[in-house]
């Protein structure tokens, strides 16, 4: 049996260490061509909040920004324009679209004639008819996604209800909710194989929060577009976990849970046997949520942001780092788990206790 890693007390780093790390991070970002390996190494230790560079760091780590700074302005303009086109295509009400197209046609053909803005009955095509069942019908497509849109609306309204950024009656909170909904609806329509899976709003929230709080106002104003593309990139590494058809395959969520079980067995066989054999607490009872929602429900929001600094820094994608963190979470409470039964262990793991995040990440890193 491999021994469980030991670590020093999880005290916060001294101020001089934070200042040094911040200066190194700023120096790395100031280069004309950024060394991504160096950036990953620095970001994996946590991005200092005072540096105000996390939005840029995350965009680089997710491949949204290229390492050559000279390309940033052109690439951002291109992506943001593309997202605006997505909004135009996927968020428009079919009635508004049909009316606009009809009016545009009128303008070019009958500039001098008057009209009440309604199509004549003979001019309404099969695709434009609200009762059409054809696959190309804009109305059929609209109604097909109405249930998904309602689910997204419900989930977005439940996103971090304790944070005024996401919830409340302020225009700012409502605007942020609208942005989250737009991103998730467009993603669902562009990814027909997955569409929307409950909980995606929780994965989107940290990205949008970080980008919306960018100290650069221009970037902050384009947080919705930037979050969309980064969300797509992040989910690409976890796509199979959200595909129901692959649930029981080696690449689906069950395969991922099996990898976690193997990792725990490798580093603490006694703990793995007690959990899964003695008390019959299998990973799917607690780690399904940990993995599919990237730990967003297990810690407070500030800690989630710091965990994601480390998750996004893995050059091979976040999943392996995520599994190491999940394994470390078990190791940190092993004493309580080893004396627990099914009920107490399940309760503990489904309501993970507050912990020092720096210490948790230190232990996880030792599992590398």
């Amino acid at each position: 049996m491999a021994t469980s890693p030991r670590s020093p007390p999880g005290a916060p780093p001294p101020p001089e260490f934070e200042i040094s790390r911040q200066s190194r991070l700023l120096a790395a970002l100031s280069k004309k061509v950024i060394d991504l390996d160096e950036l990953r190494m620095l970001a994996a230790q946590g991005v200092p909040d005072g540096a105000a560079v996390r939005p840029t760091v995350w965009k680089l780590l997710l491949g949204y920004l290229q390492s050559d700074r000279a390309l940033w302005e052109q690439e951002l303009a291109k992506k943001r324009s593309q997202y605006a086109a997505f909004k135009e295509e996927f968020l428009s009400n079919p009635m508004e679209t049909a009316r606009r197209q009809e009016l545009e046609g009128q303008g070019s053909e009958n500039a001098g004639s008057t009209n009440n803005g309604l199509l004549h009955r003979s001019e309404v095509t099969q695709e434009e008819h609200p009762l059409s069942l054809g696959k190309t019908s804009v109305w059929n497509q609209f109604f097909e996604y109405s249930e998904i849109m309602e689910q997204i609306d419900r989930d977005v309204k439940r996103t971090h209800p304790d944070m005024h950024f996401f919830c409340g009656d302020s225009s700012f909170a409502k605007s942020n909710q609208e942005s989250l909904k737009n991103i998730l609806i467009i993603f669902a329509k562009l990814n027909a194989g997955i569409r929307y899976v409950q909980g995606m709003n929780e994965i989107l929230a940290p990205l949008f929060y970080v980008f919306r709080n960018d100290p650069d106002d221009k970037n902050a104003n384009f947080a919705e577009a930037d979050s969309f593309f980064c969300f797509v990139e992040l989910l690409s590494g976890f796509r199979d976990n959200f595909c129901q058809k692959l649930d029981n395959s080696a690449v689906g969520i069950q395969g991922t849970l099996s990898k976690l079980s193997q990792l725990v067995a490798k580093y603490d066989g006694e703990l793995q046997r007690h959990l899964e054999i003695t008390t019959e607490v299998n990973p799917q009872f607690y780690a399904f949520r940990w993995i599919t929602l990237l730990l967003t429900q297990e810690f407070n929001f500030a800690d989630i942001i710091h965990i994601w600094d480390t998750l996004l820094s893995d050059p091979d994608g976040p999943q392996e780092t995520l599994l190491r963190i999940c394994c470390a979470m078990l190791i940190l409470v092993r004493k309580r788990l080893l004396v627990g039964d099914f009920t107490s262990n399940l309760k503990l793991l489904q309501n993970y206790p507050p912990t020092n995040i720096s210490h948790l990440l230190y232990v996880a890193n030792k599992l590398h």
Side-chain angles (χ1 to χ4, degrees), residues 17-88:
F17 178 81
E18 282 289 294
I19 294 171
S20 171
R21 191 151 51 93
Q22 180 170 315
S23 62
R24 291 169 64 194
L25 194 56
L26 291 171
L29 290 172
S30 67
K31 296 176 181 177
K32 289 184 178 180
V33 178
I34 294 165
D35 184 336
L36 291 179
D37 289 334
E38 179 189 18
L39 182 67
R40 288 191 187 100
M41 180 192 70
L42 293 170
Q45 303 168 29
V47 178
D49 295 325
V53 294
R54 183 173 280 113
T56 302
V57 171
W58 281 18
K59 289 172 187 177
L60 283 161
L61 294 176
L62 285 165
Y64 183 56
L65 290 177
Q66 298 185 45
S67 56
D68 188 343
R69 294 174 61 93
L71 301 175
W72 287 7
E73 186 174 352
Q74 181 180 356
E75 282 298 310
L76 285 174
K78 179 180 177 182
K79 289 289 189 183
R80 290 163 177 174
S81 175
Q82 184 180 359
Y83 182 73
F86 285 156
K87 290 183 73 172
E88 180 72 22

Side-chain angles (χ1 to χ4, degrees), residues 85-362:
F86 285 156
K87 290 183 73 172
E88 180 72 22
E89 179 178 356
F90 296 117
L91 300 181
S92 297
N93 184 300
M95 183 176 291
E96 296 172 358
T97 302
R99 184 183 294 272
R100 185 175 61 253
Q101 291 173 345
E102 196 271 339
L103 289 174
E104 288 173 354
Q106 276 185 4
S108 58
E109 296 174 15
N110 305 307
S113 65
T114 59
N115 194 288
N116 61 6
L118 299 175
L119 289 174
H120 295 296
R121 184 179 180 87
S122 60
E123 295 173 350
V124 178
T125 66
Q126 179 68 18
E127 287 74 21
E128 293 169 341
H129 197 288
L131 299 181
S132 171
L133 298 177
K135 289 186 177 180
T136 58
S137 165
V138 292
W139 280 102
N140 188 36
Q141 293 171 14
F142 178 77
F143 290 131
E144 181 184 0
Y145 280 91
S146 61
E147 188 175 335
I148 293 174
M149 292 164 69
E150 289 172 5
Q151 180 66 61
I152 289 172
D153 184 64
R154 287 193 298 270
D155 289 351
V156 165
K157 288 177 179 176
R158 291 195 292 255
T159 304
H160 295 288
D162 57 325
M163 295 179 63
H164 294 303
F165 179 91
F166 293 108
C167 286
D169 296 326
S170 70
S171 59
F172 182 62
K174 289 185 180 299
S175 171
N176 293 336
Q177 286 185 358
E178 196 65 27
S179 291
L180 295 180
K181 287 191 284 187
N182 290 344
I183 293 168
L184 294 169
I185 291 169
I186 292 172
F187 178 86
K189 291 188 175 184
L190 284 172
N191 294 272
I194 299 178
R195 297 193 177 182
Y196 172 76
V197 177
Q198 194 168 14
M200 284 183 176
N201 56 304
E202 302 292 352
I203 298 175
L204 174 59
L207 291 171
F208 183 74
Y209 177 87
V210 167
F211 297 157
R212 189 68 182 86
N213 284 290
D214 194 314
D216 183 311
D217 288 341
K218 181 180 179 181
N219 286 332
N221 290 334
F222 281 105
E224 184 180 319
D226 296 347
S227 297
F228 170 78
F229 288 105
C230 288
F231 177 70
V232 170
E233 183 60 34
L234 178 59
L235 241 60
S236 67
F238 296 92
R239 182 185 179 93
D240 293 340
N241 287 342
F242 289 99
C243 188
Q244 193 172 9
K245 293 179 181 178
L246 298 175
D247 275 357
N248 296 312
S249 71
V251 296
I253 184 60
Q254 293 301 329
T256 305
L257 291 169
S258 179
K259 288 181 182 178
L260 174 60
S261 179
Q262 293 165 17
L263 193 62
V264 179
K266 177 181 178 181
Y267 288 99
D268 198 329
E270 180 186 8
L271 177 59
Q272 188 264 347
R273 287 191 298 273
H274 181 76
L275 276 176
E276 298 184 31
I277 299 174
T278 305
T279 64
E280 299 184 336
V281 177
N282 295 314
Q284 58 261 39
F285 296 155
Y286 61 90
F288 182 92
R289 186 178 72 184
W290 292 6
I291 291 168
T292 56
L293 300 187
L294 307 190
L295 299 173
T296 55
Q297 300 298 288
E298 315 314 318
F299 304 99
N300 68 49
F301 198 76
D303 287 342
I304 293 165
I305 297 297
H306 287 116
I307 288 172
W308 277 36
D309 288 339
T310 301
L311 279 181
L312 300 182
S313 299
D314 192 329
D316 297 322
Q319 182 151 292
E320 295 306 314
T321 298
L322 176 63
L323 290 177
R324 288 193 295 271
I325 294 174
C326 291
C327 184
M329 289 168 66
L330 295 172
I331 290 171
L332 288 184
V333 293
R334 74 183 303 273
K335 289 183 179 179
R336 294 173 64 179
L337 291 172
L338 287 174
V339 298
D341 58 12
F342 175 85
T343 302
S344 62
N345 283 349
L346 191 61
K347 183 178 179 181
L348 174 64
L349 296 177
Q350 289 184 344
N351 299 275
Y352 196 80
T355 190
N356 184 290
I357 297 303
S358 297
H359 182 47
L360 171 63
L361 295 175
Y362 175 89

